[in-house]
């Protein structure tokens, strides 16, 4: 397992369309698969359950809600690939022109009304790459490793 | 988007080797990609950061920690597939014979020492399938949809 630098991690995250938004809802851990675009270092997602997220994420300017965001590309057979986890403040985008721009960039992938755009400012960025190693290779080949 | 019944959701989750464990750590949302097996309705994962998770997940018998677990198979091109989200109590498996059995079932996919086995009892199970719909098909084809 190789740790990846911040820049490379964000580049990889921006190279895939889907990730998972992780937040706390009613004091419980919650996760939603969403699609995203990278705008500079910021991760931008559209939400279809805006009612929920509007209530937990304050508009830009206010303190924001701490969320995690994860994207990965791991081959289930070779078990090689990468995973990037970002933690940072999320805020609803309020400016109508910015909302319109993000709505153009982020085509919804479910046929539902999208009613919120969330921008996440990465604070902590953790990325790793799973590379082939002897011990893993033995396991992946289906042997017992001993 | 089609909601899936509980049984079908758990079956789909059990059909893939990888998922994402979501929990709260130091009052912040945290997520780790892991591999899993289904044991009956329970989701079992091995952890390599046992020190962290031992401190947050109590052994079997105690109340357990509420976690979320997500697995999906979504085609990034067609944007069709499914996602299943489970919320429930997680407990460390303490019984050495059970630990040994799970360690046989769960081959680690990173060459790291695994030092904890976590069993998640699904309480809430939410699954949905993304199916082709006219609006989505237009978006996926790269057009503006108007």
């Amino acid at each position: 397992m190789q740790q990846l630098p911040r820049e490379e991690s964000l580049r990889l995250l921006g190279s895939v369309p889907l990730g998972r938004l992780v937040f706390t809802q009613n004091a419980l851990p919650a996760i939603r698969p969403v699609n995203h675009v990278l705008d500079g270092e910021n991760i931008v997602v559209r939400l279809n359950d805006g009612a929920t997220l509007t209530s937990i994420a304050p508009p830009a300017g206010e303190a924001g809600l701490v969320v995690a965001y994860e994207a990965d590309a791991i081959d289930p057979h070779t078990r090689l690939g990468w995973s990037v986890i970002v933690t940072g403040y999320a805020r609803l985008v309020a400016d109508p022109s910015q909302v319109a721009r993000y709505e153009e960039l982020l085509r919804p992938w479910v046929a539902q009304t999208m009613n919120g755009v969330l921008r996440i400012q990465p604070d902590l960025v953790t990325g790793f790459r799973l590379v082939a190693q002897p011990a893993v290779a033995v396991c992946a080949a289906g042997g017992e490793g001993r």
Side-chain angles (χ1 to χ4, degrees), chain A:
Chain A
M1 196 158 91
Q2 276 178 350
Q3 290 275 348
L4 297 172
R6 179 185 178 99
E7 209 168 282
E8 169 76 351
S9 297
L10 289 172
R11 190 191 64 74
L12 285 170
L13 190 143
S15 74
V16 296
L18 305 178
R20 290 131 204 119
L21 180 68
V22 178
F23 54 101
T24 304
Q25 189 171 32
N26 302 327
L28 294 178
I31 179 169
R32 297 281 179 281
V34 290
N35 60 331
H36 64 255
V37 289
L38 227 64
D39 186 16
E41 280 217 331
N42 292 333
I43 299 157
V44 181
V45 301
R46 282 178 82 177
L47 304 165
N48 59 24
D49 53 353
T52 302
L53 277 138
T54 307
S55 68
I56 58 172
E62 296 188 37
L65 168 88
V66 176
V67 302
Y69 195 79
E70 193 262 0
D72 58 49
I74 298 172
D75 185 308
H77 302 293
T78 64
R79 296 182 174 186
L80 302 180
W82 56 265
S83 168
V84 171
I85 298 167
V86 166
T87 309
Y89 282 98
R91 292 181 186 82
L92 281 175
V93 178
D95 179 338
S97 68
Q98 288 191 349
V99 170
R101 186 165 74 88
Y102 289 136
E103 284 179 350
E104 276 300 302
L105 291 171
L106 278 166
R107 309 261 170 70
W109 51 289
V110 289
Q112 284 200 323
T113 309
M114 296 285 154
N115 48 11
V117 176
L118 203 65
R119 188 196 283 123
I120 304 161
Q121 273 185 292
D123 185 5
L124 225 66
V125 178
T126 311
F128 62 86
R129 193 185 284 281
L130 300 165
V131 290
Q133 290 181 18
V136 172
V138 170
C139 290
E144 291 300 315
R146 51 193 149 81

